[in-house]
Amino acid sequence: MLPSAIRRHSSKLAYQAGITLTRSFSLSASCSPDVLFKSAIATRSFSTNPKKGGSEFIFSRLVDESKVTPLIAKLQQECWDGYVATGRGCHTLFQLVDTNSSGSITFAELRFFLENVRESDINPEAKKQLLSAAHDHMITFPEFQAWLIRATKVDPGLKNTFAAEHYHASIGSSHAETEHSWNKHTMSQNLRRMQYAVRGEVVIRADAMAAEGRKIIYTNIGNPHAVGQKPITYYRQVLSLCDLPPECGVDNPTVASGFPADVVERARELRAAIGDAGTGAYTNSQGIGKFRNDVAQFISARDGHISLPSNIFLTNGASSAIEFVLTGLIGGNRDAIMIPIPQYPIYSAIISRLGARQVGYYLDEDKGWAITERELEQRRTAAVERDGLDIRALTLINPGNPTGQVLSREDLEVICKFCAKHDIVLLADEVYQRNI
C-alpha cells in the first residue's frame, strides 16, 4: 500500500483539482501495468493557496521513471477537466504544469501541458498567444490564470472594450487602485469567462450613444413592446386589479366605471386564489395552485394529452426557468448541452457559468432554419466520440429566437426521435408561441 502521507497528498490533490483518486494500489510484483501506472506518483505536497507562495513539488520515481511522465499528463488532463467544469482549481493546475516547482512555467512545460489536454477544449487563438508569450518569458500564475479565461471562453472575440475604456469614468476618478480580497483572481472564474452578448459591448455602446441624444432602436433582445408591439390590455388590467388593495380595486364601488366586467370578474377569481396577503407575499415554491391548474388545462387543450399541475413550476420569467433546469441537469466535468445556432445567448451564458460545454447544432437557413437529423447526429458523434462529452440535454427553441421560424411537424418529430434514441433530455423553449 502507499504510505498514509502519500495517500493524504493524493486525496488533497484530487479534491482541489475536482478529480477522484480514492483507491490505494499495492506495489507488489503481482500488480498489473495499469496499477503500477496509477501508482507511479508517490508524493506531491503543495499549497493550493496562492497567498502562501510557492509550492513544494516532489515526485518519487519509484522504480520506473518512465511511468511518472504519463501520470503527470493524466493528472493535468483531469485537473483541466475539473477547471473547465467548475472554474476552480486554477492554482492546482498551474502547479501541475510547473513540473520543476520554479513558480513559473517554461515553454517546454507549457508545450507538454497543451499536448496533453483535448485540443477541442482550448480556443486555438488563445493557445497561439500563450505559446508566443512563453517564447519571450516565463509564464507567471496571474498571466496563466488570465489566459485560462481566454482559452475557455465560447467566443473569445467578444470583449467589452468600450466598458474597459470607460471604467474609471464609471467608478469615479478618486477610486484608488487597491487589490481587495474579492478581485478578478479570487472571484468565480466561471462567471469571469461567462459571456452574454445580448447585454454586451454593442448594447453598452448603444446606451452611450442614446445618452448623447442619438435615436437607437434596440433589437438585441426579444422585447416586442420596445419595438412597437402593443401590450394586450386585458392582461394589464387584470394585473393592476390584482396588485391594487381591494378597497382601491375590485371592491371599490366605482370599479365598473374604469374596468370591463370580465376583467373585474377574472381579477376577483385570481385574488381569491392568491389569498388575503395579496401579490406581495411568498407563495408555494412551484407557484400558486390555481395558476398551475390553468397552465395544465392550457397545455392539455393545446397538445391533446394530460398535463398534471404537480409537474408544473412557475418561474419569474423564462431565464429563471432555464437556469433552474440546467443547474439540475449539469453534474459532471464533461457534461454538455446541445443548443441551436443561432440561439438566444442566455443558454451559452448559463452553460458556461455552470461549467458545462455547449454543442451547437446549426439550423439550415436555406430551408427556412430547419433542423436535419444528419446535423444532429454529426454534432453528437463529434462531441461524444471525439471530445469525450456526455450530452445531457438538447434545447429546442420554437418559434426560433432570433430567427423567428416555426418548426414543422417533421422537424419536431426528428428532434423528439433523436432525443429518445440517445436518451437525451429535451428542453422545449416556446416562449414566443403566442407572438407568431
Side-chain angles (χ1 to χ4, degrees), residues 5 13 25 92 111 129 159 170 260 290 312 334 379 432:
L13 172 62
F25 300 96
T92 302
R111 186 173 60 183
Q129 291 173 357
K159 298 178 181 178
S170 68
K290 160 66 177 171
I312 292 172
R334 304 297 296 175
R379 298 297 174 178
Y432 294 107

Side-chain angles (χ1 to χ4, degrees), residues 205-267:
R205 178 59 181 150
D207 288 342
M209 295 172 67
E212 296 169 357
R214 304 281 294 276
K215 180 176 175 56
I216 305 294
I217 298 177
Y218 290 87
T219 60
N220 56 302
I221 56 177
N223 194 2
H225 295 167
V227 291
Q229 181 175 350
K230 300 298 182 183
I232 298 176
T233 306
Y234 176 80
Y235 297 149
R236 297 297 180 95
Q237 291 175 325
V238 171
L239 284 172
S240 65
L241 287 178
C242 287
D243 287 335
L244 284 170
E247 62 272 16
C248 300
V250 292
D251 294 340
N252 189 287
T254 63
V255 66
S257 63
F259 295 89
D262 60 337
V263 168
V264 177
E265 180 183 358
R266 181 61 170 166

Side-chain angles (χ1 to χ4, degrees), residues 247-323:
E247 62 272 16
C248 300
V250 292
D251 294 340
N252 189 287
T254 63
V255 66
S257 63
F259 295 89
D262 60 337
V263 168
V264 177
E265 180 183 358
R266 181 61 170 166
R268 285 178 174 153
E269 180 183 349
L270 295 183
R271 285 192 62 89
I274 294 169
D276 295 337
T279 55
Y282 289 114
T283 67
N284 181 282
S285 297
Q286 287 184 239
I288 295 171
K290 160 66 177 171
F291 300 168
R292 287 187 283 120
N293 286 334
D294 289 347
V295 173
Q297 291 173 11
F298 168 80
I299 294 174
S300 296
R302 184 194 66 178
D303 299 343
H305 61 70
I306 296 176
S307 176
L308 300 176
S310 59
N311 290 339
I312 292 172
F313 289 74
L314 304 181
T315 62
N316 182 26
S319 295
S320 295
I322 294 167
E323 183 165 7

Side-chain angles (χ1 to χ4, degrees), residues 87 111 122 148 178 184-185 224 235 299 309 337 385:
R111 186 173 60 183
I122 302 179
L148 285 174
T178 305
K184 64 182 180 182
H185 302 300
Y235 297 149
I299 294 174
I337 309 295
E385 297 182 5

Side-chain angles (χ1 to χ4, degrees), residues 15-35:
Y15 179 80
Q16 295 292 342
I19 60 179
T20 304
L21 296 176
T22 56
R23 289 179 292 176
S24 298
F25 300 96
S26 170
L27 300 183
S28 66
S30 61
C31 286
S32 67
D34 181 58
V35 170

Side-chain angles (χ1 to χ4, degrees), residues 22 37 64 73 96 98 162 164 182 193 238 277 288 300 328 359 403:
T22 56
F37 168 78
D64 189 352
L96 281 169
D98 177 22
F162 181 83
W182 186 19
R193 71 186 175 199
V238 171
I288 295 171
S300 296
V359 176
T403 51

